Amino acid sequence: MTVIVIAYLAAWLLFALVGDSWLQLLVAIVLAVVFAQFGFLAHDLGHRQVFRTRSSSDVAGLLFGNLAIGLGWGWWNTKHNRHHANPNHEDHDPDVSPAVIVFSADQVGRSTGLPRFVARYQAYLFFPLLLLEAWHLHVASVKALLKPSARRRWPELGLLAAHFAAYFGMVFAVLPPGKAIVFLVVHQGLFGLYLGCTFAPNHKGMPVLTKEDKLDFLRKQVLTSRNVRGGPFMDIALGQLNYQIEHHLFPHMPAPNLRLAQPIVQQYCAEIGVSYLQTGLFASYRQALGHLHEVGAQLR
């Protein structure tokens, strides 16, 4: 937490010092990485991995999510917990709902409008669409908090408003309108791309469950998840979500301990005959994109 807060403040200080220059696009790249790291920490806070008390986790989550990077932490956390309860279940997991991308042949058959149009070539469009992911999360956060039923509605909206006021105010105060808009496009585009590239290897291309599938907790979590090997660098780059199987089995376990649990879980799965998938990063993308391309085949 200390390291990424220092990196966050240092990146904005660098932005102010560079001033009116196209070199700001390099700063945008740095800020995209820092924003994503804040997202990883907000994720861990949502799982109560960091503090002993719920109140401390909530306060830190709102500061790291809403105030620092402009994402509605409470809304996202609720959605993410639904994903954990039923990963890759087409009826219950919001992460495989066919909003734009479709994930199964059944979803293709039921799709209309934009998802049906995109599904034909969604494997090719997947990474370009991720450039819009950060903007989607910002808009979805505000829309969710505008509903009267939203928890902590006004505190979260206030923190989001403070973020957007400071963010856009800083960018347009330092840069002329043209450069400011390019900076926003690059920063938010790469921020969304980084987040998407982190979450895509975890479940995309793994079995999609339906109401016909009756699995126990362990199999439901393990068979729908994929680990990504790669060592310490990969741990940092993917926010330690590369240990996705262990994270789904023990969502409250602090992220640094997942690598210690990994060999135990892998050995146990081998003993009871449960498939445990671990692959390299590029192989995980190849599997995910191959699945999306196969799903859209009937429309081509």
Side-chain angles (χ1 to χ4, degrees), residues 91-107:
D91 296 322
H92 303 300
D93 183 356
D95 290 351
V96 294
S97 61
V100 177
I101 301 291
V102 294
F103 299 95
S104 69
D106 183 58
Q107 287 184 346

Side-chain angles (χ1 to χ4, degrees), residues 146 170 179 213 273 277:
L146 289 177
M170 180 75 165
K179 287 179 182 175
D213 296 299
L277 181 58

Side-chain angles (χ1 to χ4, degrees), residues 43-205:
H43 164 272
D44 295 349
L45 288 162
H47 282 296
R48 317 296 179 192
Q49 296 178 12
V50 182
F51 295 105
R52 292 183 181 276
T53 64
R54 179 178 293 271
S55 58
S56 298
S57 298
D58 288 348
V59 170
L62 294 174
L63 293 177
F64 279 88
N66 294 55
L67 184 61
I69 59 177
L71 300 183
W73 181 76
W75 157 76
W76 184 86
N77 192 42
T78 299
K79 181 176 79 73
H80 188 62
N81 286 334
R82 289 170 55 204
H83 156 72
H84 267 265
N86 291 284
N88 262 26
H89 195 295
E90 65 178 21
D91 296 322
H92 303 300
D93 183 356
D95 290 351
V96 294
S97 61
V100 177
I101 301 291
V102 294
F103 299 95
S104 69
D106 183 58
Q107 287 184 346
V108 170
R110 292 184 281 112
S111 64
T112 59
L114 182 62
R116 191 171 184 84
F117 174 78
V118 170
R120 290 176 173 84
Y121 304 103
Q122 59 184 3
Y124 300 101
L125 296 172
F126 182 72
F127 288 112
L129 286 171
L130 288 180
L131 295 171
L132 302 174
E133 179 64 13
W135 296 109
H136 161 70
L137 292 172
H138 294 312
V139 172
S141 298
V142 174
K143 287 175 63 177
L145 288 169
L146 289 177
K147 297 178 180 178
S149 59
R151 292 182 63 236
R152 293 188 298 261
R153 183 185 184 191
W154 296 115
E156 288 213 40
L157 280 174
L159 290 171
L160 282 179
H163 167 81
F164 292 131
Y167 178 73
F168 289 111
M170 180 75 165
V171 171
F172 281 95
V174 172
L175 297 176
K179 287 179 182 175
I181 291 172
V182 174
F183 177 89
L184 293 174
V185 169
V186 172
H187 174 231
Q188 293 294 329
L190 293 180
F191 173 34
L193 180 65
Y194 187 179
L195 284 181
C197 287
T198 300
F199 286 96
N202 301 338
H203 302 281
K204 303 298 180 283

Side-chain angles (χ1 to χ4, degrees), residues 22-44:
W22 287 110
L23 289 175
Q24 292 286 17
L25 298 185
L26 297 178
V27 181
I29 297 172
V30 173
L31 271 171
V33 174
V34 173
F35 269 46
Q37 290 292 328
F38 266 73
F40 299 152
L41 185 55
H43 164 272
D44 295 349

